Amino acid sequence: MMPSPLRRLEANPIITRDAVPGANSIFNSAVVPFGDGFRGVFRVDDQQRRMRLHAGHSADGLRWEIEPEPIQWQCDIPAIAQFEYGYDPRITPLEGRHYITWCNGYHGPGIGLAVTDDFATFTRLDNPLPPCNRNAVLFPRRINGEYVLLHRPSDMGHTAYGDIFLCSSPDLTFWGKHRRVMGRRQPWEGTKIGAGPVPIETPEGWLLIYHGVLTSCNGYVYAAGAALLDLDEPWRVLHRAAPYLLAPRELYECVGDVPNVVFPCAAVVDEASGRLTLYYGCADTCVSVAECGLGELIAFVKANRSAD
Amino acid sequence: MMPSPLRRLEANPIITRDAVPGANSIFNSAVVPFGDGFRGVFRVDDQQRRMRLHAGHSADGLRWEIEPEPIQWQCDIPAIAQFEYGYDPRITPLEGRHYITWCNGYHGPGIGLAVTDDFATFTRLDNPLPPCNRNAVLFPRRINGEYVLLHRPSDMGHTAYGDIFLCSSPDLTFWGKHRRVMGRRQPWEGTKIGAGPVPIETPEGWLLIYHGVLTSCNGYVYAAGAALLDLDEPWRVLHRAAPYLLAPRELYECVGDVPNVVFPCAAVVDEASGRLTLYYGCADTCVSVAECGLGELIAFVKANRSAD
Amino acid sequence: MMPSPLRRLEANPIITRDAVPGANSIFNSAVVPFGDGFRGVFRVDDQQRRMRLHAGHSADGLRWEIEPEPIQWQCDIPAIAQFEYGYDPRITPLEGRHYITWCNGYHGPGIGLAVTDDFATFTRLDNPLPPCNRNAVLFPRRINGEYVLLHRPSDMGHTAYGDIFLCSSPDLTFWGKHRRVMGRRQPWEGTKIGAGPVPIETPEGWLLIYHGVLTSCNGYVYAAGAALLDLDEPWRVLHRAAPYLLAPRELYECVGDVPNVVFPCAAVVDEASGRLTLYYGCADTCVSVAECGLGELIAFVKANRSAD
Amino acid sequence: MMPSPLRRLEANPIITRDAVPGANSIFNSAVVPFGDGFRGVFRVDDQQRRMRLHAGHSADGLRWEIEPEPIQWQCDIPAIAQFEYGYDPRITPLEGRHYITWCNGYHGPGIGLAVTDDFATFTRLDNPLPPCNRNAVLFPRRINGEYVLLHRPSDMGHTAYGDIFLCSSPDLTFWGKHRRVMGRRQPWEGTKIGAGPVPIETPEGWLLIYHGVLTSCNGYVYAAGAALLDLDEPWRVLHRAAPYLLAPRELYECVGDVPNVVFPCAAVVDEASGRLTLYYGCADTCVSVAECGLGELIAFVKANRSAD
Amino acid sequence: MMPSPLRRLEANPIITRDAVPGANSIFNSAVVPFGDGFRGVFRVDDQQRRMRLHAGHSADGLRWEIEPEPIQWQCDIPAIAQFEYGYDPRITPLEGRHYITWCNGYHGPGIGLAVTDDFATFTRLDNPLPPCNRNAVLFPRRINGEYVLLHRPSDMGHTAYGDIFLCSSPDLTFWGKHRRVMGRRQPWEGTKIGAGPVPIETPEGWLLIYHGVLTSCNGYVYAAGAALLDLDEPWRVLHRAAPYLLAPRELYECVGDVPNVVFPCAAVVDEASGRLTLYYGCADTCVSVAECGLGELIAFVKANRSAD
Amino acid sequence: MMPSPLRRLEANPIITRDAVPGANSIFNSAVVPFGDGFRGVFRVDDQQRRMRLHAGHSADGLRWEIEPEPIQWQCDIPAIAQFEYGYDPRITPLEGRHYITWCNGYHGPGIGLAVTDDFATFTRLDNPLPPCNRNAVLFPRRINGEYVLLHRPSDMGHTAYGDIFLCSSPDLTFWGKHRRVMGRRQPWEGTKIGAGPVPIETPEGWLLIYHGVLTSCNGYVYAAGAALLDLDEPWRVLHRAAPYLLAPRELYECVGDVPNVVFPCAAVVDEASGRLTLYYGCADTCVSVAECGLGELIAFVKANRSAD
């Protein structure tokens, strides 16, 4: 078995609650390169434990300025305009704009969708799916002419099941062609799985980093795994690593508001060096980073793919 | 309070397991006028307790011939073509064709959609929604140019929550604009609610008959209620009767595979007389009928609407 | 073992939902001799399944007139004056007045207390106990100078445990001296027990008829048992019958909104004949009556008392 | 599909609680031909709902005399001699004696084992298996020189899982070689399965009638199925009928202490006629009988065997 | 939002298990100024995990001597005199004496009440409330002539709900006039809330510090909040801070027998300086202290009060 | 109360995941003296979280070499030869050979049994017990001519109950004479208990170190206790310490894949010095060691034995 190539930064956690006055915790957040720096959308739980999303920026991707106030969403759809809560954002660059997906409260946990051009103004589109659903991630380009969204059907709470599905859309408003992509397979992901960062297009397929959950007698343990999906039929899994890629080991991953959680939400690939930087939430409390070569990661998936 | 105008037939139950050789039970089924008679799609659980759908026909809507073999679905979408199970069908006449919706097994309970022109050949379309979802019912015409589907997000099993939502589609393939229509309000419907027959267009609004579930210390009790939805914005509830319309009282409703269930799936209105004939499943075992005037039923909803 | 002396009336059920227009069910209700006839307070669930209390009267104790409207409670304590819901009433004649106790909704199920002199005007007193509590029954005289109340601490729902406790009061407002009276002992009462009718004073002690609940794989089964409590220290159990006194057997006890329930709420003893008439709810749907001699019942308790 | 050949007797239920004074219910009981009549061991729950076993006899197998007192077990093993409770007996004729197996209370539900020569004296042997276990049935002869016992590992209560296993013994005291025989396969048996009557040796294999449980939203539904096991390697299933053989339909099967239960515990084959008489408990309340030809039943299993 | 003024001591935790030989843990304990020092009643779980209460004293409130043996309670009420278990004590100075309340085992978790004049002899009074109840705290003076007790109705175990109620008494024996004070409002307290230290009388109202519980997918998280209650009608909430005051962050709060718990039980205000010293249990393992100005804390409540 | 004599090593944890490439965790493992060194069987969960057993050796019992590949089991019983999973091994020296017992996957968690002479070749014997069962430990000699096995009946998952039973065998294949040894008694072991290391024969009886589990609102807490069993009738408990012997306190016991676990699996007694070395798993993540004199431990049990 080839070991995981990911290396945690010494500086972890790179973002703590101190980054926002009055924050209880900052974790499970998304970043993208933007201009000559980086932009991000951050899950900031305040000291009421309300779950909200804040914008932020960084010159180097490691030292972040996060807005002290939550994003004020623009929305011209009255029925859904009230922002109840939002968490676990992802950012997809797509056709020159940036789309945000997150878990959005609307009569239960569902999927929110918004677009921004400048990370200053964020405009909400209609919710793409009914509740109950979480962990939706948009692909960074159309596939066969259609937008494609990974997501996970859930129930109303700490759901004890969950597979990864996808659906397609001609226009980002109406969605259909629902397909199951992956189910649970190994013990480390035996309770549920969900898409993590935006899939990364590679010659070997779409590289999907995802989280998987194991249920111990003391609760959930969240780890991260990886798979390669077919470029044209992304509901087809080409390779899937049997072992996890990253699991809770460091104190900042094992101790916090929810012990034993690593939850990846973003991955940035440096074109020049091929270095992949993975951003992940730790113990529902802070944000850390781990790195490896993109090629190393693909090799890991292919070398460790499971037999069935 | 105006009492429920519904009157059960003396002949109830009108359909029992004897109608299909080898059936364990026939219930929660849909019928429509067709030609000079009636056609139906029936939930027939066989003696393995597999849940399947059978076609049937009737001259008078009360005495039914049901095909001994399940419907053989045509499907040219390989990913979903395997029919795992199906139950609780509804039939919507729409633009000259008949559409069937049902609870369809695809990696969990979801919504199936098919079309027929003759009740002999049934062709499946793509599943409109991801799992977990049940009780989807299509409106019988476009509203503001779009098809509209009522449905209920659920979990994987005997879900202990559920409100009625709707979504829209330009083409019956891609769906969006998700809105919540109704939540639970009265004790008799305190656990979950779900759409019943295809909504009936009236000058007062769309008449929606739905089921509601109460949880006693000995399980679920299913009753039926009624509401009027706005003709143009069908997610707006105009009036909603506080009391139920029909609840388990007769032995054939109280005793059976699942005690204490009335579950309405179809309503036929005779244009000439204004008589509404409601078909409902009883105790997950058989099918019964109750009748009233359509005007009586609308008056019931308006007279008994709840304050909040 | 001496068999139960109780004999069901042929006329059972003596009260059905037909007694009140718009009722879903009438059950678990209390009656007392009053003047030259009888008065009662009835649990009437309406067709919203709201639980409410109605007054009623009868010349012979078997044929009842029940008010079509719920009792309008007088209450000069603003904090609790709103009547949320009420069920399972008992009536205690005490010092020339009649006191009603019931399960009263106030931020959870608790105990309500009211007094009437004429069964026309009912005045609420302060709730004697905090939630969560049910099945409170007041003794019909002071004991050692204090009022005494039997009750059962519970949780918020279909509580899976419950023993009988009592408390005392100098003034019906402030309560203390909490003592446990009886726990669960036999399989038929293995889940929980609760006081039934107002205890009957006899030379052998207070005769307490109570309900006990067994949990089968298909839910709760409610039966009735009997015990004798010490006259002066009523938290001391003198004798307690090991077998039940009455359990669901008749169709009207086994089939209904909650199958398999007999729930005694009142017992009337005819001084002249010594005949005890027991009123009990059936399947959460209707009211029935069973009879025996008071002496027979005491003999049953003493002959069948359990060893431990 | 070949329909079930079983025909219920008109006289059902053949045994009710009236057969034993003070019984709450008599059900899930075993009978065997003995001498020129029949003997039986009956589950009699008394009115404390204690579960106990009574002996009985009959001239014709249909009209039964049941002893009013429970069996007094002989036992010279002090550690287990205390009889806590017993239910769901089976009787296996074996090497000229009759062995009783049942669910026996010993620090949880386990398996009891006893032997009788005359149905007057019953001597307990050591419990063959640790708790938690139920539904043990002994084969009526040694197989490959060893005694063989079918059983079902369980938990402490209303277990929500259960497959059929077997084990072997050289001496009826020490048991080993544990093998799984059958798991759950069809929806009607999707929650758990357990052996029913003593397997019947036929040229086609051991005929095993068993019960299977489906979980509805209102509890468990118990039905009966059938399979053929290899004569020499009885953990190998040769054929297994996909549909059930018998399911709750009659009022005496659907209404009672546990609604919707048929639970077979004994089958008697008349050598001359080939008629199989099946004794089964109904709704945990009474005993009924259904009949068919043994050949019909084997044909049913083979004609309806499932593909996988 | 004004941030919490509380500052943890560097010396935390100030009390660990080492303070009592054979202790498993010491936490959730109460202290008061007494004479020229301090006295306390401490929850000491021993190495059987029995929950017991020990007395202790301190010169400075930070360095404590705790008695190695549990308190020997005086009690002249035989029915309740057996001390089953006790935990989470509070101490209320009242009319020149000191009253202890705690969670007391009496046929389930209820409320214990005792009085001491010297912290050497402790005399139990009757239990003020029936089970199931926890977290009772007595006000430090009569209000409108009556003693007032805050408490929380519960169930038998790790209760998943809970609001704060109060009741009144003329004599500390009989209690009534039950009123709900506060329910759950913010996500950090969404599962249950319970009174913490004895309310502090201020010109702005009674300052109530309380605990609130959030349920994550890995269990409960206990934090502390604050509110101001009306001086004369203490069931009226004047102001309530929306954010929490203190939540688990330090390793000694996040790691221990129950991870992620801060549980305040006592607050001492230094009249001269206005400094409030808060004593709180950490991770069900040890005791820590945090401080702020009383005025700061009141300002925090008023500045951060929630809109609804 | 005499305090626990156990002293943790400064070097703890002595085995971490680093000992095996690709291991997620190494814990709950067994060691024995062998030749002039030590041998062990280790629970190694890989990064798929598959649970497998590896052999290892050590010169001093503290520094271990663990085989990078799992044990390849020899098995000539086809029905059980497939190794599904294995965890929590124990090693019993018996009649010159070494027997391994572990929790073995065979249609649920059961008990596996194997024998080795050299810790290179391991041969599986038949599973001694049916599922569901865990924590089986073989005594190191025959007692009254029979082999004796301690074990714990369980359910399929994170079982919430469990007592220690034993059974006997003439030949290690067939098992019977099931007896309960110990139930739960103290709060620290209130959920379940299970045998730990192989019992140690002493003149005072068999010294049994076992684990006990407490359920907090945040999950299970595993501690270790001790008892003395009768030498000839080992189901008789002679003395049992009321307090635990070891409970989670160090960071390596409180933080890890399952927080708050100490789980003893092996104890080695140095004959010369009488020093007992206890090996225990920590937080389901690593292995630690604690030591004391054997005499000290026996004195602890006897001095702290509980009254009942």
Side-chain angles (χ1 to χ4, degrees), chain C residues 3-9 209 224-226 244-247 262 264 267 276-280 289-294 296-297 300:
Chain C
S4 171
L6 278 178
R7 293 169 295 275
R8 291 168 175 87
L9 292 205
I209 299 173
Y244 57 70
L245 194 60
L246 188 74
V262 299
L276 182 149
T277 302
L278 182 71
Y279 294 80
Y280 64 99
V289 162
E291 295 180 333
C292 66
L294 175 58
E296 287 180 292
L297 185 41
F300 170 83

Side-chain angles (χ1 to χ4, degrees), chain C residues 205-222:
Chain C
W206 293 103
L207 176 63
L208 176 65
I209 299 173
Y210 65 99
H211 69 262
V213 181
L214 173 152
T215 301
S216 87
C217 63
N218 279 2
Y220 286 173
V221 178
Y222 281 75

